[in-house]
């Protein structure tokens, strides 16, 4: 019997109920391309089919090394559909650090964005059994049997009777790995049930609806983003928008004007710097007018507030693409009081949703594991005598 409170089952619900609505938009070569809830579910089905054929089974871990892409999101749900765990690795980490982590974890199943990430995986002493990549540039002459091109996978014929849902609400959906200062592996785990429970709180308190537009400016490599962006997307049924690439995210945000933004302390500090870099020099009359508009609002008359809003504050919000944002969320570490006040003066009232810091040390031991389709080296990751599939995780604090 299918558990109804898992991320894959909510994708199924949205596709069955609102199949023709747009679920995902991704900017490619300057054009926003759309995918409906039905399209997204069918893509997940084909990915499930491929993963299953390659030996991925309940309890297995799919590692992801990629910047924000819809392919990474959907293949994560496919892995979870089969009772597995998605483990995003932040590609913005130092390459040496990622390599050290991979040497210890020995990923068997990997989604790699493009040539850079594939090369890193192929340098491992024990190469993954399956590597799925999204960007073909530079990889056309690679002959490794483990490599599979994402776009070809989703063209495969679909056998709907081969798509059995395995995930349970008590299964872990995501695992986040890191190396601590002593170079030991630590993990943070998130269950389906926990993520959906916290997402319901967010949807209720922030009054999120299916009309929201959210920009995925960071990969889902931070636990706060899957708690407060991915899970609410599935529950509320709004649209997720992916920028063309990590370097175009600010321009794409300006163009899109998202209503929901989930950023980290680093995100908002970068946006604050972006605004301040556009301000006129101190001592000029224009800077004096801006300071009047930003810092003296409590003293303004109604007319003064209107003038400040239309001439100065709204254009500054446009600089960072916040002209339509009604739900600006800060995930995890709080901003300084000074930065919060700066954004508040611009009419951006940031709400802080803290993340848990429930990192656990893990013992990483190689095992030989046999699947029906192939024999391969397999790394079983246990968090101090606890099975990764059902480890208790911390609560929102």
């Amino acid at each position: 019997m299918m558990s109804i409170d898992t991320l894959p089952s909510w994708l199924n619900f949205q596709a069955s109920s609102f199949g023709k609505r747009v679920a995902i938009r991704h900017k490619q070569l300057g054009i926003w391309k759309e995918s409906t809830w039905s399209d997204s579910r069918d893509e997940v089905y084909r990915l499930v089919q491929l993963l299953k054929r390659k030996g991925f089974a309940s309890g297995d871990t799919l590692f992801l090394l990629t910047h924000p892409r819809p392919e990474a999101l959907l293949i994560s749900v496919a892995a979870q559909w089969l009772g597995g765990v998605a483990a995003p690795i932040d590609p913005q980490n130092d390459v040496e650090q990622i390599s050290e982590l991979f040497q210890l974890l020995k990923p068997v199943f990997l989604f790699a964005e493009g040539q850079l990430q594939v090369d890193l995986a192929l340098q491992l002493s024990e190469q993954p059994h399956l590597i799925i990549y999204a960007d073909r540039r530079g990889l056309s002459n690679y002959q490794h049997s483990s490599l599979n091109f994402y776009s070809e996978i989703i063209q495969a014929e679909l056998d709907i009777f081969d798509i059995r849902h395995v995930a349970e609400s008590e299964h872990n959906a995501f695992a986040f790995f890191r190396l601590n200062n002593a170079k030991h592996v630590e993990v943070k785990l998130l269950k389906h049930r926990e993520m959906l429970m916290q997402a319901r709180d967010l949807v209720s308190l922030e009054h999120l609806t299916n009309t929201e537009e959210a920009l995925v400016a960071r990969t889902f490599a931070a636990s706060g983003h899957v708690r407060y962006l991915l899970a609410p997307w599935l529950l509320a049924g709004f649209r997720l928008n992916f920028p063309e690439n990590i370097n175009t995210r600010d321009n794409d945000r300006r163009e899109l004007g998202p209503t929901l933004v989930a950023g980290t302390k680093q995100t908002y500090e970068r946006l604050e710097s972006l605004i301040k870099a556009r301000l006129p020099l101190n001592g000029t009359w224009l800077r004096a007018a801006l300071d009047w508009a930003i810092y003296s609002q409590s003293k303004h008359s109604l007319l003064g507030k209107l003038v400040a809003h239309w001439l100065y504050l709204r254009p500054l919000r446009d600089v960072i693409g916040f002209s339509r944002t009604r739900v600006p969320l800060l995930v995890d570490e709080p901003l300084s009081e000074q930065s919060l006040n700066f954004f508040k003066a611009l009419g951006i009232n940031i709400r802080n949703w803290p993340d848990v810091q429930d990192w656990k040390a893990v013992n990483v031991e190689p095992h030989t594991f046999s699947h029906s389709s192939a024999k391969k080296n397999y790394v079983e990751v246990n968090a101090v005598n606890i099975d990764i599939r059902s480890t208790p995780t911390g609560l929102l604090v």
Side-chain angles (χ1 to χ4, degrees):
M1 180 178 176
M2 189 175 86
S3 174
I4 61 169
D5 213 22
T6 64
L7 303 181
S9 60
W10 274 97
L11 174 64
N12 217 13
F13 168 78
Q14 294 291 354
S16 301
S17 305
F18 310 105
K20 293 185 178 179
R21 286 185 185 166
V22 175
I24 294 172
R25 296 203 307 162
H26 184 200
K27 198 171 188 184
Q28 295 173 285
L29 300 176
I31 299 171
W32 289 101
K33 297 192 174 179
E34 298 181 339
S35 177
T36 66
W37 285 103
S38 290
D39 295 337
S40 302
R41 180 190 55 188
D42 291 350
E43 201 163 312
V44 167
Y45 280 172
R46 287 178 168 82
L47 293 165
V48 167
Q49 199 168 251
L50 182 278
L51 287 173
K52 191 176 174 184
R53 197 166 64 242
K54 294 293 184 180
F56 190 94
S58 178
D60 282 345
T61 300
L62 172 70
F63 288 86
L64 302 105
L65 183 60
T66 175
H67 289 101
R69 301 186 71 99
E71 297 95 329
L73 167 65
L74 296 179
I75 200 169
S76 295
V77 178
Q80 292 155 356
W81 184 285
L82 289 167
V85 180
I89 305 294
D90 193 341
Q92 297 191 77
N93 287 340
D94 181 74
V95 171
E96 188 176 341
Q97 187 181 34
I98 294 172
S99 182
E100 284 182 42
L101 189 59
F102 273 2
Q103 291 289 2
L104 290 167
L105 294 173
K106 298 179 175 57
V108 175
F109 302 97
L110 174 69
F111 175 84
E113 182 173 24
Q115 185 182 20
L116 181 66
Q117 294 76 24
V118 168
D119 284 345
L120 198 151
L122 294 178
Q123 290 167 10
L124 295 173
S125 55
E126 294 180 42
Q127 294 177 6
H129 170 68
L130 172 66
I131 302 174
I132 299 172
Y133 59 94
D135 188 345
R136 197 169 212 168
R137 285 175 294 183
L139 292 169
S140 57
N141 292 324
Y142 282 41
Q143 301 299 322
H144 301 271
S145 59
S146 60
L147 291 176
N148 287 261
F149 183 33
Y150 186 98
S151 293
E152 289 177 355
I153 294 170
I154 60 171
Q155 301 301 321
E157 188 175 343
L158 180 61
D159 178 4
I160 192 70
F161 297 106
D162 193 36
I163 310 299
R164 190 170 69 86
H165 184 279
V166 179
E168 296 289 342
S169 62
E170 291 303 314
H171 285 172
N172 285 314
F174 281 93
F176 301 90
F177 292 94
R178 72 177 185 185
L179 288 175
N180 62 19
N181 292 335
K183 301 293 183 184
H184 295 150
V185 179
E186 294 181 331
V187 66
K188 186 195 297 188
L189 302 166
L190 293 179
K191 289 181 179 182
H192 291 270
R193 177 184 56 78
E194 178 195 16
M195 290 179 61
L196 290 166
M197 181 179 68
Q198 294 170 359
R200 287 189 181 93
D201 289 342
L202 181 70
V203 169
S204 173
L205 289 172
E206 299 291 352
H207 307 291
L208 300 182
T209 70
N210 59 17
T211 62
E212 311 295 346
E213 295 276 3
L215 181 72
V216 185
R218 285 175 58 91
T219 186
F220 291 111
S223 59
H225 282 84
V226 297
R227 288 172 191 271
Y228 302 127
L229 196 54
L230 189 153
W233 165 66
L234 290 169
L235 282 182
F238 52 79
R239 270 184 280 192
L240 279 185
N241 298 273
F242 289 80
E244 182 134 22
N245 59 59
I246 195 71
N247 298 316
T248 66
R249 56 187 164 175
D250 290 327
N251 287 334
D252 294 340
R253 186 189 299 104
R254 271 196 295 274
E255 182 182 319
L256 176 69
T259 60
L260 167 63
V261 172
T264 61
K265 179 174 183 282
Q266 291 71 29
T267 304
Y268 285 101
E269 286 178 343
R270 187 173 54 80
L271 295 177
E272 184 179 354
S273 299
L274 193 60
I275 293 176
K276 288 183 173 177
R278 300 289 189 92
L279 295 180
L281 294 174
N282 284 325
T284 63
W285 70 268
L286 192 52
R287 179 58 181 269
L290 278 166
D291 288 343
W292 165 82
I294 295 172
Y295 299 112
S296 305
Q297 292 183 54
S298 61
K299 302 174 184 175
H300 294 169
S301 64
L302 178 60
L303 179 60
K305 287 180 180 177
L306 288 173
V307 170
H309 172 77
W310 288 105
L311 289 185
Y312 302 108
L313 302 182
R314 186 180 172 87
L316 286 178
R317 290 207 298 271
D318 284 343
V319 169
I320 55 172
F322 273 56
S323 55
R324 294 199 309 143
T325 303
R326 70 171 193 86
V327 187
L329 304 179
L330 171 64
V331 177
D332 200 8
E333 195 178 353
L335 272 176
S336 69
E337 194 69 26
Q338 186 179 8
S339 292
L340 279 176
N341 289 335
F342 176 78
F343 282 107
K344 188 175 182 180
L346 297 179
I348 302 170
N349 295 308
I350 298 170
R351 276 88 82 184
N352 192 187
W353 285 75
D355 200 4
V356 294
Q357 298 300 323
D358 193 21
W359 292 96
K360 297 177 185 299
V362 297
N363 295 321
V364 183
E365 297 176 358
H367 295 270
T368 299
F369 187 86
S370 175
H371 280 292
S372 58
S373 58
K375 285 190 175 182
K376 59 186 175 57
N377 290 327
Y378 178 78
V379 175
E380 183 177 335
V381 182
N382 288 325
V384 193
N385 301 323
I386 303 172
D387 191 330
I388 194 172
R389 284 170 289 188
S390 56
T391 303
T393 53
L395 298 175
L396 180 66
V397 293

